[in-house]
Amino acid sequence: MRDNPSPDELKALVEDLNFAQKVDRSLGLIREAWEEFGERMVVANSLGKDSVAVWHLAKRVAPEIRGFIITTRFKPAETVRFMQEEVARYPELRVFRNDEPLPDPELYKVAPDLCCDILKVKPTRWAVEQMNVECWVTGLRCTEGRTRTDFMEVEQRDKGLIKLNPILLWQEREVWQYLALNQVRVNPLYLQGYRSLGCAPCTRIATGPDERCGRWVGTSKCGGECGIHTRPLKTPVEVIV
Ligand code: SF4
């Protein structure tokens, strides 16, 4: 895999590269990783706009590439329907969901980090293990919000697991530009005004410069992360409830 630019170079590239150059760069990153990892490379698909853009890009490079979806009991009905349609269209997308009982039915209110750990991080670990993943591909972007400014295009937070963020440099407008130009189907919740999608109790329609500011509103996690990008995925960490 290629070396990452420095954080300052990355920030400059966000502004300096045009849309077509960013698409080429993303395809190049995916192609290099596919040549190195082949079927051990898998796309994480959250069913949001960034994920469906990355899924489309990855399919252009490797039509046989596999993906996984992490879903929870709290996903909105629209997202569940969209997921079912996507899985019917792409049977190579595997769905992982943790149905174990929660210590509190409203855990998302009292301990959202623990709730995300149980319902999102844990099944992501299952996906990585069961699909024999050595490189996972995400739709993470560095302009999405306050918690996403320090990521790199190629990362290794866990030994033996590379994370590729091929659209790290894309801005929100460029994602929509790509989806419109390629007529990619998106989650219908965007029609209602959502800009970042998650579980129903933790996601609101929000405006402003921070795309993720409608997530976990009213908690210490507001605008933050569910943990799949920040917690270890290869190392089994037991969740203490
Ligand atoms: S987004 Fe909310 S409901 Fe979903 S797993 Fe995290 S805390 Fe729980």
Side-chain angles (χ1 to χ4, degrees):
M1 298 292 301
R2 68 176 78 169
D3 291 334
N4 282 308
S6 70
D8 285 343
E9 286 167 339
L10 273 179
K11 282 190 185 76
L13 288 170
V14 171
E15 302 299 332
D16 294 346
L17 294 183
N18 66 36
F19 170 70
Q21 289 169 324
K22 287 187 185 180
V23 172
D24 279 349
R25 184 181 180 92
S26 303
L27 289 168
L29 282 162
I30 295 169
R31 195 171 296 114
E32 283 170 28
W34 180 254
E35 282 165 7
E36 184 167 342
F37 295 101
E39 63 179 17
R40 288 167 291 119
M41 174 169 150
V42 171
V43 181
N45 188 334
S46 73
L47 304 164
K49 65 186 187 312
D50 309 302
S51 284
V52 292
V54 166
W55 182 241
H56 189 273
L57 287 161
K59 285 284 172 192
R60 285 171 66 180
V61 172
E64 68 271 47
I65 197 164
R66 299 171 301 153
F68 67 82
I69 293 170
I70 306 300
T71 192
T72 77
R73 66 199 77 180
F74 296 117
K75 288 288 180 185
E78 291 89 341
T79 298
V80 173
R81 269 198 302 278
F82 182 62
M83 176 180 79
Q84 290 163 343
E85 289 163 10
E86 289 291 287
V87 171
R89 193 165 167 214
Y90 300 107
E92 64 275 28
L93 275 174
R94 280 184 62 184
V95 177
F96 292 83
R97 171 178 154 144
N98 186 358
D99 284 325
E100 73 186 66
L102 295 175
D104 181 329
E106 293 195 326
L107 193 62
Y108 51 81
K109 275 190 189 161
V110 293
D113 281 326
L114 178 59
C115 187
C116 281
D117 244 353
I118 297 170
L119 298 185
K120 290 187 170 179
V121 179
K122 204 168 174 182
T124 306
R125 290 195 187 110
W126 296 341
V128 166
E129 189 184 334
Q130 290 177 29
M131 296 181 80
N132 200 18
V133 179
E134 289 184 17
C135 173
W136 65 304
V137 188
T138 87
L140 195 145
R141 291 183 299 107
C142 63
T143 55
E144 268 179 285
R146 62 176 175 82
T147 56
R148 299 220 157 165
T149 54
D150 293 329
F151 287 95
M152 291 282 137
E153 288 174 310
V154 183
E155 301 190 332
Q156 187 167 20
R157 288 174 187 244
D158 292 273
K159 196 165 180 287
L161 181 65
I162 296 288
K163 181 165 73 164
L164 184 70
N165 304 315
I167 63 165
L168 187 78
L169 305 178
W170 293 28
Q171 311 225 44
E172 187 180 20
R173 185 254 307 158
E174 290 160 330
V175 176
W176 286 114
Q177 196 171 347
Y178 182 86
L179 297 172
L181 289 169
N182 290 284
Q183 299 181 314
V184 180
R185 283 160 32 91
V186 296
N187 191 316
L189 285 173
Y190 289 113
L191 281 170
Q192 297 178 27
Y194 288 93
R195 290 168 69 200
S196 177
L197 305 181
C199 295
C202 305
T203 311
R204 293 200 196 150
I205 295 173
T207 57
D210 185 337
E211 274 171 70
R212 293 175 62 80
C213 68
R215 308 286 295 274
W216 299 287
V217 174
T219 75
S220 56
K221 206 172 162 71
C222 184
E225 295 290 329
C226 66
I228 67 166
H229 295 297
T230 51
R231 305 265 284 129
L233 295 178
K234 268 284 217 217
T235 324
V237 176
E238 266 316 300
V239 174
I240 299 161
V241 295

